[in-house]
Amino acid sequence: MDEQREVQVKNPCHRPVFIILTAVIAVGIIIVVSISVVQNKRISQKYKYGIVLDAGSSHTSVFIYEWPAEKENNTGMVRQTHTCNVKGKGISSYSANPEGAGMSLQECMEEAKQKIPVRRHLETPVYLGATAGMRLLKMEDEDASEKVLASVGRSLQKYPFSFQGARIILGQEEGAFGWITVNYLSDNLRTATGTLGALDLGGASTQITFVPKQEIESQDNAIDFRLYGNDYHLYTHSFLCFGKDQVLRLSLAEKFHSMIDSTLLRDPCFHTGYNLSKKYVDVFDTPCIKEKSASPKDFFHVGEGVWVECQNSVRKVFNKSHCGYSTCSFDGVFQPSVEGKFGAFSAFFFVMDFLNLTSGTLHEAKLKMKRYCATPWKEIVQRYPSIKEKYLSEYCFSGTYILTLLEDGYKFTSNNWKDIQFIKKIGDSDAGWTLGYMLNLTNMIPAEAPDIPLMAHGGYVSFMVLFTLLIFLLFFLAFLYYRRSTRTAQKDII
Ligand SMILES: Nc1nc2c(ncn2[C@@H]2O[C@H](COP(=O)(O)OP(=O)(O)OP(=O)(O)O)[C@@H](O)[C@H]2O)c(=O)[nH]1
Ligand SMILES: [Ca+2]
């Protein structure tokens, strides 16, 4: 009986050291399993989708966005997975045939059906936002603009997605959501380390948006946001009629006034040797031109290729005669001095990228423009055989307009020229207003900062490796201790 008790007392499993080791190992295993369950839950999540149609003045694009279902409120989680460019012109060109506007969207919407998993169709929101082309149509013919919007709305309702409306967005929204997009994609909103201004150049309007140092003197140009716990006081302005297609018309109309021969329009912004018969209505048929000069049905558009003269003619479209504030850009619009870095996208990028002006100084850009505009049209066509002649013929004008808008209009100088980054995409996503618009309407950017994740992925992996090694070590120690204790116990019995 005494012998039996002695064996029991000496059983190593009953020693305090062994009990503590076992308890530590058990707790360790529980911690490792719990952390991996919580952490991996985040990895095995499913994706959600959203569709935004950008119904611009020149064309419509359909953007599909995707984000992990359980990370809706974390910044940087939404990315563009697919784009489809609708064939033909923008929806505002269907004023005489509104049904055609809705039909034009079909091909891209069928593509969206293929790209988004069927089980997500019903819950996927679809938004259509129309910009300056539709704003101009509304000014010209409100009834026609309503019919076009109704037609695209009916067309979008035929798809299995959750249609959320088709509307003309305000110029302020276009500017502000472009700013949200570039700053969301650059992860500037959560970190609050400074923001990127946004410059958007479309066919019919252009937007400038940034956080100014000066006070905003006009309420129409001020927008406030609270995002991830930070307050932003933004300056924004959208210049209707200052998109590059409308400014080309304004500039041609201006030249008509000083023409001696009303059938021959000599243009320093087009290359020498460029000579094309154009229709008078194609220039003047826009609400952006108030004074319709009496001209014939057709005219010859003849290039002269003189950059300095081109810039002088472009300057005439900026009205600087009045300003009711301490400072203005042009057309009597208040603008504080530009501040910080800017992302310039849409036609700012297409044009500056083509002209190879996305880097270098303002002075170099002017010299390159001078050379480019002076190149004969024949040579330009030979140099770029794959580019549509309409686009190609307009780069001298568009590049000149961009330099003039940025320098004379917005007051960028050779000192802060380098602060303008010409961008098309950030990561996979296009820079533009659509992503910001969707993030806002789905409430995906919270006003307050979301909870910090339990552990960053790198930290999680290191932690799991170290902890697992530690548990193995403890197992090994427990084993050594058990073996030694059993041997001692056996020796004692013998
Ligand atoms: N060179 C060139 N121009 C383009 C390209 N894509 C569009 N454009 C032109 O660039 C201008 C601006 O295009 P977008 O930014 O799509 O303009 P939009 O959204 O239709 O117009 P808004 O309603 O004013 O915003 C238009 O004159 C287009 O015809 C391109 O790939 N290359
Ligand atoms: Ca646009």
Side-chain angles (χ1 to χ4, degrees), residues 72-100:
E72 280 188 339
N73 289 347
N74 287 0
T75 190
M77 285 301 142
V78 181
R79 58 182 208 104
Q80 184 182 313
T81 56
H82 186 69
T83 335
C84 178
N85 289 320
V86 169
K87 286 196 188 120
K89 293 185 177 177
I91 59 168
S92 56
S93 68
Y94 290 90
S95 59
N97 163 32
E99 281 314 303

PDB file of all heavy atoms in Angstrom, residues 72-100:
ATOM      1  N   GLU A  72     -15.962  46.317 -46.390  1.00  0.00           N
ATOM      2  CA  GLU A  72     -16.583  47.450 -47.073  1.00  0.00           C
ATOM      3  C   GLU A  72     -16.065  48.802 -46.602  1.00  0.00           C
ATOM      4  O   GLU A  72     -15.908  49.713 -47.377  1.00  0.00           O
ATOM      5  CB  GLU A  72     -18.085  47.396 -46.890  1.00  0.00           C
ATOM      6  CG  GLU A  72     -18.696  46.419 -47.850  1.00  0.00           C
ATOM      7  CD  GLU A  72     -20.200  46.448 -47.851  1.00  0.00           C
ATOM      8  OE1 GLU A  72     -20.798  46.919 -46.865  1.00  0.00           O
ATOM      9  OE2 GLU A  72     -20.749  45.980 -48.834  1.00  0.00           O
ATOM     10  N   ASN A  73     -15.828  48.912 -45.302  1.00  0.00           N
ATOM     11  CA  ASN A  73     -15.464  50.225 -44.777  1.00  0.00           C
ATOM     12  C   ASN A  73     -13.971  50.451 -44.594  1.00  0.00           C
ATOM     13  O   ASN A  73     -13.559  51.404 -43.961  1.00  0.00           O
ATOM     14  CB  ASN A  73     -16.202  50.479 -43.467  1.00  0.00           C
ATOM     15  CG  ASN A  73     -17.670  50.697 -43.738  1.00  0.00           C
ATOM     16  OD1 ASN A  73     -18.062  50.885 -44.881  1.00  0.00           O
ATOM     17  ND2 ASN A  73     -18.477  50.663 -42.695  1.00  0.00           N
ATOM     18  N   ASN A  74     -13.173  49.559 -45.164  1.00  0.00           N
ATOM     19  CA  ASN A  74     -11.722  49.769 -45.081  1.00  0.00           C
ATOM     20  C   ASN A  74     -11.249  50.455 -46.348  1.00  0.00           C
ATOM     21  O   ASN A  74     -11.636  50.068 -47.447  1.00  0.00           O
ATOM     22  CB  ASN A  74     -10.996  48.424 -44.935  1.00  0.00           C
ATOM     23  CG  ASN A  74     -11.200  47.864 -43.555  1.00  0.00           C
ATOM     24  OD1 ASN A  74     -11.866  48.471 -42.733  1.00  0.00           O
ATOM     25  ND2 ASN A  74     -10.656  46.689 -43.317  1.00  0.00           N
ATOM     26  N   THR A  75     -10.388  51.419 -46.201  1.00  0.00           N
ATOM     27  CA  THR A  75      -9.950  52.159 -47.383  1.00  0.00           C
ATOM     28  C   THR A  75      -9.096  51.283 -48.314  1.00  0.00           C
ATOM     29  O   THR A  75      -8.473  50.325 -47.873  1.00  0.00           O
ATOM     30  CB  THR A  75      -9.163  53.423 -46.984  1.00  0.00           C
ATOM     31  OG1 THR A  75      -8.973  54.213 -48.139  1.00  0.00           O
ATOM     32  CG2 THR A  75      -7.846  53.104 -46.348  1.00  0.00           C
ATOM     33  N   GLY A  76      -9.096  51.631 -49.591  1.00  0.00           N
ATOM     34  CA  GLY A  76      -8.264  50.925 -50.562  1.00  0.00           C
ATOM     35  C   GLY A  76      -8.765  49.558 -50.966  1.00  0.00           C
ATOM     36  O   GLY A  76      -8.060  48.813 -51.631  1.00  0.00           O
ATOM     37  N   MET A  77      -9.982  49.207 -50.554  1.00  0.00           N
ATOM     38  CA  MET A  77     -10.463  47.862 -50.826  1.00  0.00           C
ATOM     39  C   MET A  77     -11.208  47.737 -52.149  1.00  0.00           C
ATOM     40  O   MET A  77     -11.332  46.666 -52.702  1.00  0.00           O
ATOM     41  CB  MET A  77     -11.409  47.412 -49.694  1.00  0.00           C
ATOM     42  CG  MET A  77     -10.661  47.049 -48.458  1.00  0.00           C
ATOM     43  SD  MET A  77      -9.524  45.716 -48.833  1.00  0.00           S
ATOM     44  CE  MET A  77      -8.154  46.194 -47.836  1.00  0.00           C
ATOM     45  N   VAL A  78     -11.744  48.868 -52.650  1.00  0.00           N
ATOM     46  CA  VAL A  78     -12.529  48.808 -53.881  1.00  0.00           C
ATOM     47  C   VAL A  78     -11.594  48.984 -55.065  1.00  0.00           C
ATOM     48  O   VAL A  78     -10.760  49.889 -55.067  1.00  0.00           O
ATOM     49  CB  VAL A  78     -13.604  49.921 -53.909  1.00  0.00           C
ATOM     50  CG1 VAL A  78     -14.434  49.832 -55.173  1.00  0.00           C
ATOM     51  CG2 VAL A  78     -14.498  49.818 -52.680  1.00  0.00           C
ATOM     52  N   ARG A  79     -11.727  48.104 -56.066  1.00  0.00           N
ATOM     53  CA  ARG A  79     -10.904  48.284 -57.262  1.00  0.00           C
ATOM     54  C   ARG A  79     -11.730  48.038 -58.517  1.00  0.00           C
ATOM     55  O   ARG A  79     -12.731  47.317 -58.483  1.00  0.00           O
ATOM     56  CB  ARG A  79      -9.657  47.405 -57.241  1.00  0.00           C
ATOM     57  CG  ARG A  79      -9.948  45.952 -57.124  1.00  0.00           C
ATOM     58  CD  ARG A  79      -8.676  45.131 -57.053  1.00  0.00           C
ATOM     59  NE  ARG A  79      -8.959  43.796 -57.594  1.00  0.00           N
ATOM     60  CZ  ARG A  79      -8.588  43.380 -58.776  1.00  0.00           C
ATOM     61  NH1 ARG A  79      -7.877  44.149 -59.557  1.00  0.00           N
ATOM     62  NH2 ARG A  79      -8.927  42.180 -59.195  1.00  0.00           N
ATOM     63  N   GLN A  80     -11.278  48.670 -59.581  1.00  0.00           N
ATOM     64  CA  GLN A  80     -11.981  48.539 -60.851  1.00  0.00           C
ATOM     65  C   GLN A  80     -11.562  47.224 -61.487  1.00  0.00           C
ATOM     66  O   GLN A  80     -10.373  46.965 -61.618  1.00  0.00           O
ATOM     67  CB  GLN A  80     -11.560  49.720 -61.721  1.00  0.00           C
ATOM     68  CG  GLN A  80     -12.242  49.840 -63.039  1.00  0.00           C
ATOM     69  CD  GLN A  80     -11.662  51.042 -63.770  1.00  0.00           C
ATOM     70  OE1 GLN A  80     -11.518  52.121 -63.204  1.00  0.00           O
ATOM     71  NE2 GLN A  80     -11.292  50.851 -65.010  1.00  0.00           N
ATOM     72  N   THR A  81     -12.534  46.382 -61.872  1.00  0.00           N
ATOM     73  CA  THR A  81     -12.146  45.100 -62.459  1.00  0.00           C
ATOM     74  C   THR A  81     -12.413  45.042 -63.945  1.00  0.00           C
ATOM     75  O   THR A  81     -11.888  44.182 -64.631  1.00  0.00           O
ATOM     76  CB  THR A  81     -12.897  43.925 -61.797  1.00  0.00           C
ATOM     77  OG1 THR A  81     -14.296  44.187 -61.921  1.00  0.00           O
ATOM     78  CG2 THR A  81     -12.539  43.750 -60.359  1.00  0.00           C
ATOM     79  N   HIS A  82     -13.275  45.932 -64.430  1.00  0.00           N
ATOM     80  CA  HIS A  82     -13.598  45.875 -65.855  1.00  0.00           C
ATOM     81  C   HIS A  82     -14.117  47.222 -66.344  1.00  0.00           C
ATOM     82  O   HIS A  82     -14.782  47.926 -65.600  1.00  0.00           O
ATOM     83  CB  HIS A  82     -14.672  44.795 -66.081  1.00  0.00           C
ATOM     84  CG  HIS A  82     -14.960  44.554 -67.522  1.00  0.00           C
ATOM     85  ND1 HIS A  82     -14.065  43.959 -68.372  1.00  0.00           N
ATOM     86  CD2 HIS A  82     -16.039  44.871 -68.277  1.00  0.00           C
ATOM     87  CE1 HIS A  82     -14.580  43.912 -69.591  1.00  0.00           C
ATOM     88  NE2 HIS A  82     -15.786  44.453 -69.557  1.00  0.00           N
ATOM     89  N   THR A  83     -13.793  47.580 -67.592  1.00  0.00           N
ATOM     90  CA  THR A  83     -14.357  48.794 -68.217  1.00  0.00           C
ATOM     91  C   THR A  83     -14.892  48.403 -69.578  1.00  0.00           C
ATOM     92  O   THR A  83     -14.297  47.553 -70.247  1.00  0.00           O
ATOM     93  CB  THR A  83     -13.269  49.850 -68.574  1.00  0.00           C
ATOM     94  OG1 THR A  83     -12.155  49.671 -67.747  1.00  0.00           O
ATOM     95  CG2 THR A  83     -13.806  51.227 -68.568  1.00  0.00           C
ATOM     96  N   CYS A  84     -15.971  49.040 -69.971  1.00  0.00           N
ATOM     97  CA  CYS A  84     -16.478  48.813 -71.325  1.00  0.00           C
ATOM     98  C   CYS A  84     -16.826  50.176 -71.912  1.00  0.00           C
ATOM     99  O   CYS A  84     -17.537  50.960 -71.281  1.00  0.00           O
ATOM    100  CB  CYS A  84     -17.712  47.917 -71.266  1.00  0.00           C
ATOM    101  SG  CYS A  84     -18.459  47.627 -72.881  1.00  0.00           S
ATOM    102  N   ASN A  85     -16.278  50.480 -73.086  1.00  0.00           N
ATOM    103  CA  ASN A  85     -16.595  51.751 -73.738  1.00  0.00           C
ATOM    104  C   ASN A  85     -17.771  51.549 -74.681  1.00  0.00           C
ATOM    105  O   ASN A  85     -17.702  50.718 -75.599  1.00  0.00           O
ATOM    106  CB  ASN A  85     -15.383  52.275 -74.505  1.00  0.00           C
ATOM    107  CG  ASN A  85     -14.307  52.743 -73.551  1.00  0.00           C
ATOM    108  OD1 ASN A  85     -14.595  53.359 -72.516  1.00  0.00           O
ATOM    109  ND2 ASN A  85     -13.063  52.425 -73.871  1.00  0.00           N
ATOM    110  N   VAL A  86     -18.849  52.280 -74.421  1.00  0.00           N
ATOM    111  CA  VAL A  86     -20.049  52.167 -75.260  1.00  0.00           C
ATOM    112  C   VAL A  86     -19.710  52.691 -76.655  1.00  0.00           C
ATOM    113  O   VAL A  86     -19.057  53.732 -76.781  1.00  0.00           O
ATOM    114  CB  VAL A  86     -21.192  52.998 -74.620  1.00  0.00           C
ATOM    115  CG1 VAL A  86     -22.375  53.133 -75.565  1.00  0.00           C
ATOM    116  CG2 VAL A  86     -21.613  52.375 -73.297  1.00  0.00           C
ATOM    117  N   LYS A  87     -20.167  51.942 -77.678  1.00  0.00           N
ATOM    118  CA  LYS A  87     -19.866  52.380 -79.055  1.00  0.00           C
ATOM    119  C   LYS A  87     -20.666  53.632 -79.393  1.00  0.00           C
ATOM    120  O   LYS A  87     -21.789  53.788 -78.930  1.00  0.00           O
ATOM    121  CB  LYS A  87     -20.231  51.261 -80.027  1.00  0.00           C
ATOM    122  CG  LYS A  87     -19.223  50.136 -79.973  1.00  0.00           C
ATOM    123  CD  LYS A  87     -19.363  49.224 -81.183  1.00  0.00           C
ATOM    124  CE  LYS A  87     -18.481  48.002 -80.991  1.00  0.00           C
ATOM    125  NZ  LYS A  87     -19.231  46.765 -80.995  1.00  0.00           N
ATOM    126  N   GLY A  88     -20.086  54.489 -80.184  1.00  0.00           N
ATOM    127  CA  GLY A  88     -20.789  55.706 -80.627  1.00  0.00           C
ATOM    128  C   GLY A  88     -20.537  56.881 -79.700  1.00  0.00           C
ATOM    129  O   GLY A  88     -19.667  56.838 -78.830  1.00  0.00           O
ATOM    130  N   LYS A  89     -21.351  57.924 -79.899  1.00  0.00           N
ATOM    131  CA  LYS A  89     -21.137  59.173 -79.148  1.00  0.00           C
ATOM    132  C   LYS A  89     -21.832  59.122 -77.797  1.00  0.00           C
ATOM    133  O   LYS A  89     -22.485  58.144 -77.450  1.00  0.00           O
ATOM    134  CB  LYS A  89     -21.695  60.331 -79.974  1.00  0.00           C
ATOM    135  CG  LYS A  89     -20.918  60.586 -81.252  1.00  0.00           C
ATOM    136  CD  LYS A  89     -21.468  61.824 -81.920  1.00  0.00           C
ATOM    137  CE  LYS A  89     -20.679  62.167 -83.172  1.00  0.00           C
ATOM    138  NZ  LYS A  89     -21.252  63.316 -83.859  1.00  0.00           N
ATOM    139  N   GLY A  90     -21.732  60.222 -77.056  1.00  0.00           N
ATOM    140  CA  GLY A  90     -22.352  60.315 -75.735  1.00  0.00           C
ATOM    141  C   GLY A  90     -23.873  60.330 -75.820  1.00  0.00           C
ATOM    142  O   GLY A  90     -24.438  60.566 -76.893  1.00  0.00           O
ATOM    143  N   ILE A  91     -24.559  60.101 -74.689  1.00  0.00           N
ATOM    144  CA  ILE A  91     -26.027  59.984 -74.721  1.00  0.00           C
ATOM    145  C   ILE A  91     -26.702  61.303 -75.137  1.00  0.00           C
ATOM    146  O   ILE A  91     -27.805  61.287 -75.671  1.00  0.00           O
ATOM    147  CB  ILE A  91     -26.616  59.463 -73.377  1.00  0.00           C
ATOM    148  CG1 ILE A  91     -26.266  60.377 -72.196  1.00  0.00           C
ATOM    149  CG2 ILE A  91     -26.204  58.036 -73.113  1.00  0.00           C
ATOM    150  CD1 ILE A  91     -27.056  60.049 -70.929  1.00  0.00           C
ATOM    151  N   SER A  92     -26.031  62.439 -74.918  1.00  0.00           N
ATOM    152  CA  SER A  92     -26.655  63.716 -75.285  1.00  0.00           C
ATOM    153  C   SER A  92     -26.785  63.865 -76.806  1.00  0.00           C
ATOM    154  O   SER A  92     -27.562  64.692 -77.283  1.00  0.00           O
ATOM    155  CB  SER A  92     -25.860  64.886 -74.705  1.00  0.00           C
ATOM    156  OG  SER A  92     -24.525  64.819 -75.137  1.00  0.00           O
ATOM    157  N   SER A  93     -26.055  63.036 -77.569  1.00  0.00           N
ATOM    158  CA  SER A  93     -26.161  63.137 -79.029  1.00  0.00           C
ATOM    159  C   SER A  93     -27.432  62.447 -79.536  1.00  0.00           C
ATOM    160  O   SER A  93     -27.720  62.484 -80.722  1.00  0.00           O
ATOM    161  CB  SER A  93     -24.924  62.515 -79.688  1.00  0.00           C
ATOM    162  OG  SER A  93     -24.926  61.125 -79.478  1.00  0.00           O
ATOM    163  N   TYR A  94     -28.193  61.798 -78.619  1.00  0.00           N
ATOM    164  CA  TYR A  94     -29.418  61.100 -79.040  1.00  0.00           C
ATOM    165  C   TYR A  94     -30.667  61.950 -78.816  1.00  0.00           C
ATOM    166  O   TYR A  94     -31.756  61.408 -78.673  1.00  0.00           O
ATOM    167  CB  TYR A  94     -29.564  59.767 -78.280  1.00  0.00           C
ATOM    168  CG  TYR A  94     -28.535  58.727 -78.689  1.00  0.00           C
ATOM    169  CD1 TYR A  94     -27.308  58.636 -78.024  1.00  0.00           C
ATOM    170  CD2 TYR A  94     -28.784  57.840 -79.734  1.00  0.00           C
ATOM    171  CE1 TYR A  94     -26.356  57.698 -78.385  1.00  0.00           C
ATOM    172  CE2 TYR A  94     -27.835  56.893 -80.104  1.00  0.00           C
ATOM    173  CZ  TYR A  94     -26.626  56.835 -79.429  1.00  0.00           C
ATOM    174  OH  TYR A  94     -25.689  55.897 -79.798  1.00  0.00           O
ATOM    175  N   SER A  95     -30.510  63.271 -78.775  1.00  0.00           N
ATOM    176  CA  SER A  95     -31.671  64.122 -78.464  1.00  0.00           C
ATOM    177  C   SER A  95     -32.804  63.940 -79.470  1.00  0.00           C
ATOM    178  O   SER A  95     -33.972  64.024 -79.113  1.00  0.00           O
ATOM    179  CB  SER A  95     -31.242  65.583 -78.385  1.00  0.00           C
ATOM    180  OG  SER A  95     -30.685  65.955 -79.615  1.00  0.00           O
ATOM    181  N   ALA A  96     -32.457  63.657 -80.738  1.00  0.00           N
ATOM    182  CA  ALA A  96     -33.509  63.495 -81.746  1.00  0.00           C
ATOM    183  C   ALA A  96     -34.034  62.057 -81.775  1.00  0.00           C
ATOM    184  O   ALA A  96     -35.015  61.758 -82.447  1.00  0.00           O
ATOM    185  CB  ALA A  96     -32.955  63.877 -83.107  1.00  0.00           C
ATOM    186  N   ASN A  97     -33.370  61.164 -81.060  1.00  0.00           N
ATOM    187  CA  ASN A  97     -33.759  59.744 -81.065  1.00  0.00           C
ATOM    188  C   ASN A  97     -33.476  59.163 -79.674  1.00  0.00           C
ATOM    189  O   ASN A  97     -32.579  58.357 -79.480  1.00  0.00           O
ATOM    190  CB  ASN A  97     -32.934  59.024 -82.162  1.00  0.00           C
ATOM    191  CG  ASN A  97     -32.931  57.518 -82.004  1.00  0.00           C
ATOM    192  OD1 ASN A  97     -33.901  56.934 -81.531  1.00  0.00           O
ATOM    193  ND2 ASN A  97     -31.830  56.869 -82.372  1.00  0.00           N
ATOM    194  N   PRO A  98     -34.240  59.579 -78.647  1.00  0.00           N
ATOM    195  CA  PRO A  98     -33.916  59.193 -77.273  1.00  0.00           C
ATOM    196  C   PRO A  98     -33.823  57.680 -77.048  1.00  0.00           C
ATOM    197  O   PRO A  98     -32.979  57.239 -76.260  1.00  0.00           O
ATOM    198  CB  PRO A  98     -35.069  59.789 -76.458  1.00  0.00           C
ATOM    199  CG  PRO A  98     -35.609  60.876 -77.298  1.00  0.00           C
ATOM    200  CD  PRO A  98     -35.408  60.457 -78.717  1.00  0.00           C
ATOM    201  N   GLU A  99     -34.627  56.907 -77.779  1.00  0.00           N
ATOM    202  CA  GLU A  99     -34.586  55.449 -77.586  1.00  0.00           C
ATOM    203  C   GLU A  99     -33.203  54.885 -77.911  1.00  0.00           C
ATOM    204  O   GLU A  99     -32.750  53.918 -77.294  1.00  0.00           O
ATOM    205  CB  GLU A  99     -35.644  54.745 -78.456  1.00  0.00           C
ATOM    206  CG  GLU A  99     -37.053  54.813 -77.871  1.00  0.00           C
ATOM    207  CD  GLU A  99     -37.106  54.473 -76.387  1.00  0.00           C
ATOM    208  OE1 GLU A  99     -36.661  53.376 -76.015  1.00  0.00           O
ATOM    209  OE2 GLU A  99     -37.560  55.331 -75.589  1.00  0.00           O
ATOM    210  N   GLY A 100     -32.543  55.527 -78.862  1.00  0.00           N
ATOM    211  CA  GLY A 100     -31.209  55.081 -79.265  1.00  0.00           C
ATOM    212  C   GLY A 100     -30.218  55.162 -78.109  1.00  0.00           C
ATOM    213  O   GLY A 100     -29.278  54.360 -78.021  1.00  0.00           O
TER     214      GLY A 100
END
